[in-house]
Amino acid sequence: MTIFNSGSSLSFGRSGTGLNGESAILCFSHLRWDFVFQRPQQLMTRLAQERPVVFWEEPEFVPALEESRLNVRPCRRSAVVVATPQLPSGLAPQQVDAASRALLDQFVLRLKARRRVLWYYTPMMLPISRHLPADCVVYDCMDELANFKGAPPELLGLERELLERADLVFTGGYSLHEAKRGRHPDVYAFPSSVDRRHFERARSDPSAPRDQRDLPSPRLGFYGVIDERIDLELLAKTADSRPDWAIVMIGPVVKISEAELPRRANIHCLGGKTYDELPDYLSGWDVALMPFAINEATRFISPTKTPEYLAGGRPVVSTPITDVIRQYGDLEGVKIGEGAQGFVAACEQALALPREGAWLTEADELLAQSGWDQTVERMWALVEARLRHGNKVQPIVPSGNGHAPQPTHYDVMVIGAGFAGSVMAERLASSGKRVLVVDRRPHVAGNAYDCLDEAGLLIHQYGPHIFHTNSAEIFDYLSRFTEWRPYEHRVLAKVDGLLVPIPINRTTINKLYSLNLRTDAEAEAFLASRAEPVPVIESSEDVVVSAVGRELYEKFFRGYTRKQWGLDPSELDKAVTSRVPTRTNTDDRYFSDKFQAMPADGYTRMFERMLDHPNIELLLGVDYQEARGAHEHDHLVFTGPIDEYFGYRFGMLPYRSLRFEHETLQQEWLQTVAVVNYPDEAVPYTRITEYKHLTGQNSRQTSITREYPAAVGDPYYPIPRSENQQLFKAYEALARDEPDVTFVGRLATYRYYNMDQIVGQALATFRRVFQGAPSLDVEVPFKKSPAAEPNAWRSQSRSAQRHC
């Protein structure tokens, strides 16, 4: 078994680093590199500029070959290295896999990169590669391959396995994204991009190819694979109805017989062409065609041809493909035709367009928003987020392959990589302790995790987190790990069809009641006139009604609280609203803290820097009970639910949960502030967050999150009722007697804390437990702020980095 090179000597990337590098990509594809002129070639060519990229092809079968061998050769037009197994003919499927796997193993020994990315375009390569360790696994799903003619029966099972193993799933369009997003937590739509410079050559009228030069006009053309996705009957009927049109078909005929192609005098099948030749042919067309059949094979396609045709300056006519309509259907230069009659009519409309004009300007503006360079940048940002600090689900048992945490004995195991756990880990590591941080989620930052969504916008995966504090010590501590973007949070509430400031202030009152109160005294008198005396204040309802009256209570508080807590305010402890935040001035800031800012690079990056310490190792995507038994440690810091730690001995502590609905809108802005609350019970969500207000990003799109409170799901908010506190006290008593375990954080102490409060509690706990120092003034409880409880007045700082 041999590996041989053909062509020139191998080099990778701009610096010719050979098979070495910080990270290397091993790309598995069912397509041949030399025949791929779409997504894989575009992406890998660009990725190879900075790192080694190996494109592993399906095997070739060579007659009379006695020994399997690997043809390794550099791509002539990029830094990609192409590897093709060459096998003897006549091997059984199991023998093919075994020979290919052996060649792969031999080749991988030459890859000396510190981190390895496995990038799949087909699940069919899993049988030869599933054993390879990887720091990140990407499934770049271009099509629903199982719907294609002749798809192997094992494909669906292999795809299920790949989806389970993948860290990231990319899809070639929005329809495919919708089909896959329920099967993996990290699915991102990356619709077809375009190499504008390459296809804009078609606008300059380059020399006409010889086999197209003498064809009559008008010419309507298609390039791409000609297979079961092409509506051959539609082609025939179009040619028959317009015999004066020359219909040009370019591309290999695959999975169908050439005898099935319609034979007409005005249909010209010119065979396959190279990627470099395509603009020359496109230049000679008047209209570019996408005559796709509407069937299972085309149900999820997002043709790369659409932006390529437009970049070449040609109007496009397509059958009603969902993603074409969704992305390009509003353009004047893209016509949709259903059925033969409709398709011909759409072609006639396209032929009537001028070569240049408003339609082309409109298309160029849309194309300027997307390109392969931008797509690669966004994709690699997602991959880097998984590579950074080994944020890959790691094996529990050390395997000796360099991918399991080492060593196996730690001074402290910290359960949870959110604020409490990360602060404790950093302080312990800085004091010389060897620390293992374990989190059942596949990322750090806990609920503060933020990431880039499909539009490249930074969103908070678990709802908005707004940092604010009055503690200089806490702010200075976090400033070691992040720069800050100054930000003062403002919230509006949708009440009586109006958007008014919350907390209630003088502006709120004036808008709601059409008043013109000018002074604090006037506003104070108004609120006093509305307040209703309550003899004994026992519930949250009593607190609010006694402060601002029943009408404002019902407008702002009752509906929101019922949604948020699943309880009427009369059933909630008075502590929830012990200080109703109302103002008599016009200050519309949500918080009044001395320090108000957002981490400049996001929360996730701040956590990554906090945990970037030689004494800290991460074990992510793993339940703590598995990790606790697999890795020896002297002390445990537990930041998870205290009732779960004790096996729910006295029953489960009640929590409210949240469900998040993330959406990217094709408009620049949705609302004038970051958060709008919806107190009306008829609206199922409690608030909408628009993230560009928080991050300061610029984009023609905007990303939002709607929050839906839920009774089940991840625990977010301890429900403040006296019986729940009594249940917690029972668990707290058990915790005091637990040897070598420290409980810290919101879930472990069954209290809702702001972010700065959790940091303060963690710092104080470290000093008390590990340094023997008394608790300092940073330890909770802090004074309450408007965000201390989740109700109509108090917007939460619940959240989510890098690419989601």
Side-chain angles (χ1 to χ4, degrees):
M1 188 170 296
T2 60
I3 295 180
F4 72 93
N5 297 336
S6 64
S8 58
S9 60
L10 300 180
S11 64
F12 288 79
R14 290 174 177 167
S15 58
T17 56
L19 295 172
N20 300 314
E22 172 67 20
S23 57
I25 298 173
L26 190 52
C27 176
F28 298 98
S29 176
H30 58 297
L31 301 170
R32 295 288 179 200
W33 178 262
D34 293 336
F35 292 101
V36 174
F37 47 79
Q38 300 297 345
R39 184 185 186 100
Q41 187 186 57
Q42 297 285 2
L43 296 177
M44 294 302 135
T45 294
R46 286 164 172 78
L47 287 167
Q49 293 175 1
E50 302 292 345
R51 59 198 58 83
V53 172
V54 177
F55 189 87
W56 191 274
E57 295 186 326
E58 289 186 331
E60 292 177 346
F61 297 96
V62 182
L65 185 68
E66 295 183 359
E67 185 181 28
S68 299
R69 64 189 185 187
L70 186 66
N71 180 7
V72 183
R73 62 199 185 279
C75 171
R76 292 187 299 273
R77 60 194 307 269
S78 73
V80 173
V81 167
V82 182
T84 310
Q86 296 184 331
L87 310 179
S89 299
L91 295 180
Q94 295 87 344
Q95 293 174 309
V96 171
D97 286 348
S100 298
R101 189 184 307 115
L103 288 171
L104 177 61
D105 288 345
Q106 188 179 352
F107 179 80
V108 164
L109 293 175
R110 304 171 66 192
L111 283 173
K112 304 300 183 184
R114 192 168 71 89
R115 298 193 183 278
R116 182 186 301 158
V117 177
L118 302 184
W119 195 298
Y120 289 87
Y121 281 100
T122 174
M124 296 302 294
M125 289 286 192
L126 266 184
I128 71 166
S129 62
R130 60 163 62 96
H131 63 290
L132 294 178
D135 297 280
C136 183
V137 177
V138 176
Y139 178 25
D140 194 357
C141 183
M142 296 166 53
D143 294 292
E144 195 67 271
L145 296 176
N147 291 345
F148 280 30
K149 187 175 182 178
E154 64 269 26
L155 178 60
L156 285 175
L158 288 171
E159 185 181 55
R160 281 194 295 271
E161 181 182 343
L162 181 54
L163 286 168
E164 289 176 1
R165 189 180 180 201
D167 298 283
L168 298 166
V169 177
F170 301 150
T171 65
Y174 293 111
S175 295
L176 199 54
H177 174 263
E178 291 168 356
K180 301 295 183 188
R181 66 184 179 185
R183 302 179 62 188
H184 193 278
D186 292 294
V187 182
Y188 305 91
F190 286 99
S192 305
S193 299
V194 62
D195 185 345
R196 291 184 67 189
R197 182 178 299 177
H198 181 75
F199 286 95
E200 281 176 350
R201 284 172 37 206
R203 303 188 187 192
S204 61
D205 198 23
S207 58
R210 183 174 301 176
D211 54 355
Q212 183 175 272
R213 185 181 304 159
D214 298 327
L215 297 182
S217 293
R219 296 183 196 140
L220 298 83
F222 166 87
Y223 63 71
V225 176
I226 300 172
D227 57 14
E228 77 273 19
R229 292 173 295 175
I230 301 300
D231 192 332
L232 300 179
E233 183 181 356
L234 175 69
L235 273 180
K237 289 182 176 180
T238 301
D240 291 340
S241 65
R242 293 294 185 273
D244 57 318
W245 292 356
I247 299 176
V248 180
M249 299 293 291
I250 289 175
V253 179
V254 178
K255 292 186 289 186
I256 62 173
S257 168
E258 293 207 14
E260 297 179 55
L261 300 180
R263 303 298 177 180
R264 302 291 189 276
N266 60 334
I267 296 180
H268 309 275
C269 296
L270 305 184
K273 307 298 177 184
T274 68
Y275 180 72
D276 288 337
E277 292 176 301
L278 294 181
D280 298 333
Y281 283 89
L282 181 58
S283 175
W285 301 347
D286 298 286
V287 171
L289 301 178
M290 294 196 297
F292 290 111
I294 305 302
N295 57 31
E296 283 301 303
T298 62
R299 181 180 173 190
F300 300 107
I301 64 172
S302 179
T304 59
K305 283 170 276 294
T306 318
E308 291 173 354
Y309 287 162
L310 292 172
R314 298 299 177 268
V316 180
V317 175
S318 175
T319 50
I321 298 298
T322 300
D323 276 15
V324 175
I325 296 172
R326 181 181 298 186
Q327 291 179 253
Y328 304 100
D330 293 335
L331 294 182
E332 178 65 20
V334 177
K335 307 297 183 184
I336 306 297
E338 186 170 4
Q341 186 175 353
F343 195 78
V344 169
C347 290
E348 291 173 337
Q349 294 172 16
L351 285 168
L353 293 173
R355 269 298 171 99
E356 297 182 358
W359 75 267
L360 189 55
T361 301
E362 180 188 39
D364 285 343
E365 290 176 351
L366 180 63
L367 294 178
Q369 299 177 28
S370 66
W372 287 116
D373 290 338
Q374 296 99 309
T375 298
V376 166
E377 182 180 355
R378 288 167 53 202
M379 282 182 166
W380 191 248
L382 283 169
V383 174
E384 280 193 322
R386 296 307 190 274
L387 295 177
R388 193 176 293 126
H389 301 299
N391 284 2
K392 169 84 174 69
V393 175
Q394 303 282 7
I396 287 292
V397 180
S399 61
N401 61 10
H403 287 267
Q406 297 291 335
T408 56
H409 182 90
Y410 299 89
D411 297 312
V412 183
M413 178 182 287
V414 175
I415 306 302
F419 269 105
S422 296
V423 171
M424 288 292 291
E426 188 280 327
R427 290 287 77 205
L428 288 163
S430 296
S431 71
K433 303 290 186 185
R434 188 169 281 279
V435 181
L436 176 65
V437 178
V438 180
D439 200 299
R440 59 169 54 120
R441 285 173 172 165
H443 58 71
V444 299
N447 287 343
Y449 176 73
D450 52 17
C451 53
L452 298 176
D453 67 3
E454 297 159 10
L457 296 172
L458 190 66
I459 69 168
H460 296 184
Q461 189 71 21
Y462 307 103
H465 278 59
I466 317 299
F467 187 80
H468 57 99
T469 185
N470 280 317
S471 170
E473 179 181 2
I474 291 171
F475 189 76
D476 290 344
Y477 170 75
L478 293 178
S479 297
R480 302 179 191 181
F481 314 109
T482 184
E483 299 293 328
W484 297 95
R485 176 180 180 267
Y487 172 76
E488 291 184 332
H489 193 45
R490 287 170 171 81
V491 178
L492 298 176
K494 188 72 173 289
V495 175
D496 294 345
L498 300 172
L499 288 172
V500 295
I502 196 77
I504 293 173
N505 66 7
R506 195 193 315 155
T507 304
T508 310
I509 298 168
N510 283 336
K511 274 194 170 186
L512 275 179
Y513 296 100
S514 300
L515 298 175
N516 188 27
L517 305 178
R518 297 177 179 275
T519 66
D520 290 6
E522 290 176 342
E524 187 174 354
F526 175 86
L527 291 174
S529 71
R530 296 276 170 157
E532 300 178 16
V534 177
V536 180
I537 294 179
E538 296 179 341
S539 68
S540 291
E541 177 182 317
D542 296 338
V543 173
V544 182
V545 170
S546 66
V548 299
R550 184 159 297 276
E551 185 177 12
L552 287 173
Y553 157 76
E554 291 176 352
K555 287 181 185 293
F556 286 92
F557 186 77
R558 185 175 65 184
Y560 195 103
T561 303
R562 287 174 174 174
K563 289 191 292 185
Q564 182 70 41
W565 293 103
L567 294 169
D568 190 82
S570 62
E571 302 174 86
L572 281 173
D573 190 275
K574 62 184 178 181
V576 174
T577 53
S578 58
R579 297 186 194 172
V580 176
T582 56
R583 296 174 181 151
T584 55
N585 57 21
T586 57
D587 183 359
D588 63 349
R589 295 175 304 158
Y590 201 74
F591 308 113
S592 57
D593 299 69
K594 180 179 179 181
F595 303 98
Q596 301 185 44
M598 299 292 291
D601 298 321
Y603 284 101
T604 302
R605 191 71 185 102
M606 180 180 75
F607 277 87
E608 289 169 345
R609 291 174 181 137
M610 190 183 301
L611 295 169
D612 186 11
H613 194 285
N615 286 344
I616 295 177
E617 296 186 19
L618 298 176
L619 188 59
L620 303 176
V622 173
D623 188 86
Y624 83 92
Q625 291 177 329
E626 298 178 72
R628 193 176 183 188
H631 299 283
E632 294 182 7
H633 53 281
D634 299 327
H635 193 95
L636 183 75
V637 171
F638 189 79
T639 72
I642 190 172
D643 54 344
E644 180 183 348
Y645 179 89
F646 289 106
Y648 308 108
R649 185 179 306 179
F650 305 120
M652 296 182 67
L653 286 165
Y655 285 92
R656 286 293 280 178
S657 188
L658 291 172
R659 177 173 64 86
F660 304 99
E661 182 181 271
H662 304 292
E663 184 179 4
T664 297
L665 306 177
Q666 302 305 311
Q667 61 194 70
E668 191 165 2
W669 294 101
L670 175 67
Q671 51 199 40
T672 58
V673 294
V675 173
V676 174
N677 286 357
Y678 291 84
D680 190 343
E681 285 185 84
V683 180
Y685 45 85
T686 52
R687 59 180 175 172
I688 295 177
T689 299
E690 185 172 20
Y691 293 101
K692 288 197 301 181
H693 294 282
L694 306 180
T695 64
Q697 287 179 278
N698 294 313
S699 175
R700 294 184 180 182
Q701 299 171 293
T702 191
S703 293
I704 64 170
T705 296
R706 300 178 186 89
E707 289 183 33
Y708 297 82
V712 296
D714 289 344
Y716 283 89
Y717 308 127
I719 298 177
R721 303 186 73 182
S722 59
E723 57 266 36
N724 298 342
Q725 277 301 308
Q726 290 303 312
L727 180 58
F728 165 68
K729 291 296 182 185
Y731 283 115
E732 188 179 38
L734 293 179
R736 292 195 189 98
D737 295 332
E738 193 74 1
D740 300 318
V741 180
T742 298
F743 295 84
V744 61
R746 176 172 52 90
L747 300 177
T749 56
Y750 198 64
R751 294 186 63 179
Y752 178 76
Y753 293 134
N754 293 331
M755 290 180 287
D756 66 322
Q757 294 173 305
I758 299 173
V759 174
Q761 184 195 50
L763 291 173
T765 301
F766 166 74
R767 291 169 180 144
R768 184 180 68 250
V769 175
F770 294 95
Q771 293 186 324
S775 300
L776 302 183
D777 60 356
V778 294
E779 188 170 9
V780 292
F782 288 77
K783 74 173 187 64
K784 290 190 176 181
S785 70
E789 261 69 63
N791 55 43
W793 334 92
R794 299 177 171 90
S795 170
Q796 287 320 297
S797 296
R798 312 258 42 90
S799 170
Q801 189 215 356
R802 289 334 54 193
H803 269 273
C804 300

